[in-house]
Amino acid sequence: MLTIKDLLQIKSIDGIKIIAGEQGIDNVVSIVNIMENPDAFDWLSSNELLLSTGYIFKDNEELQNKIIKELAEINCSGLCIKMHRYFDRIPQNMIDHANKYGLPLLALPFEYTLSKVIAIINEKASGRYDLLNRKTLDMHNALFRIALEGGGIDRISSELAETIGNPLLILDRDWNLLHYTEIRQNPVPLKSCLTLAKNRPVFTREFTESIPKNISQIKKSIKRIYHGKDQEIKCRVLPVAVANYIYGYIVVWQTVRELTEFDYIVLEQASTIMALDRIKAREIEEVKLKIRQDFFDDLLTGKITSSDSIQTLCDLHGLKSTYMYYCAVINIEPIELENLQDMVDRKYELDRIAKKCVDIVYDYANKAHGEITCFYRNNRIIILVGQNEHKPPTSVSEARQFATELRTTLQEKIKKTTFYMGIGRQYKTITSLHKSFSEAHEAIRLMQKFDRKGNVSHFDDYSVYHFLDSNIKDIELEDFFLKQLGTLYEHDHAFGTSFMSTLENYFAYNQNVSEAAKAMFIHRNTFIYRIDKIKELLNMDLKNSEELLQIQLALKIGKLLHKE
């Protein structure tokens, strides 16, 4: 294999000298590249010798120091600067940093072109690739065999960690933990810095947001520093991707030893094999999900009527067929989606938010009076709350309190999103769950009709509205409203009075004049005057129970018809 020491002996590039970083003189040179872009660090590989004229860092001492440090951390072979183009001598700060990090810093005579040097070194280095290719082929076959035998990411991860001699983590595309492999020699155990809960985020947002969005196009690992508990941990991050679609990430916790060129090649091979495993797992999961979705769709539309069938299906999908159930539905309306023109981007973002909502619901599940089952369909989160039939039924106030607290939590954790939450009644048998689902939807529909944004409502809050809106034609509702309250409605619009709202508050506070006046921020006597005027306009005394019922119905019809 070709090393920096061998490079200094090549006669065809006579005059090349090592200026600093002699402790890295045995670094292996596997390939040569030109560096004239300060943002190219993510594209570099281990054992890569970088050639440069120095143009990009000639007037920037901070960048000079950063380049030395970054190349050393990537395990590049060294940096070779062509002299007398932009540098007559190499700056002392670069020499000091090269000595500090052990990165060979070389000076190339002016008469050599960079392309010629690349050709000479690559020719000398090519002989070592036969052995490297044989080793990587053996490793590829071993990993591929694990995948064919159904070993999954657990065995692939273990084999990979043992090969590269460092702990590693396997994450999904949203940076949630799928699997991790620790090794005994690790001086900084993963558990000492990270929360290793499966299907939960592992790294900080600052760390994940530092990863380029186009990492799948880079097709190699990149270096990032994880800052945790007064320590800086060097990590190598590699996408698990196919055709630029990211299925997840491999993160190497590089605390035991530096990675070699062989390690980097093995990582890239493992990434491909793991992507195939993820595709297979995803297809299996999609089949299971489809079966589960079909069951819930049939359950929530009342298509399952056989008691034997529902018993078997409930056991299969984690429901208790003997429990009492009620359904809550959350409509999520993210404001940010309005800015996304691409339908695929909108779907992905909506799925991401919906999954986060489901996680929050399960985190909050212990607050419910029963066992939670939660899933999503597009922009709807569906919550089934099951309660043992031997316990007292969940009251409307208990269901509403749970929903209100849950909605508050959702609002705190998911910004710029409007939540409508409807709750259906509780039913004694699971075969009636579709009624509760329909009622929850109806509560949301009426909330939206009345423009009550970001609210929680139980179906019982709107049962009268539902009856009126679903069973009586609009023209009949209009006739009834005008007959009962038309005079009052027209008077408000003609003279700017507030008799309609006064009447609403009168009934809302159970005909308690003092409380109703307080709610409207007016004097009690003013409120009494308005009520007397209303009696006069309607030609009613507001004491007859039949008249009161008709007026209250007319007020509700007015809301349905937006007569406000």
Side-chain angles (χ1 to χ4, degrees), residues 280-314:
K280 181 178 74 173
R282 183 182 177 185
E283 289 176 348
I284 293 171
E285 193 59 35
E286 284 178 352
V287 171
K288 290 180 179 178
L289 183 62
K290 181 65 168 62
I291 294 171
R292 183 177 170 85
Q293 286 178 345
D294 289 345
F295 163 68
F296 281 120
D297 288 345
D298 290 345
L299 182 66
L300 295 176
T301 52
K303 292 181 181 178
I304 305 176
T305 55
S306 166
S307 57
D308 291 337
S309 296
I310 205 160
Q311 171 75 51
T312 303
L313 290 168
C314 284

Side-chain angles (χ1 to χ4, degrees), residues 446-464:
L446 291 168
M447 249 194 299
Q448 292 173 324
K449 188 178 182 86
F450 299 144
D451 200 28
R452 295 181 181 174
K453 288 190 175 180
N455 213 332
V456 173
S457 289
H458 194 283
F459 177 74
D460 286 351
D461 300 338
Y462 292 105
S463 55
V464 174

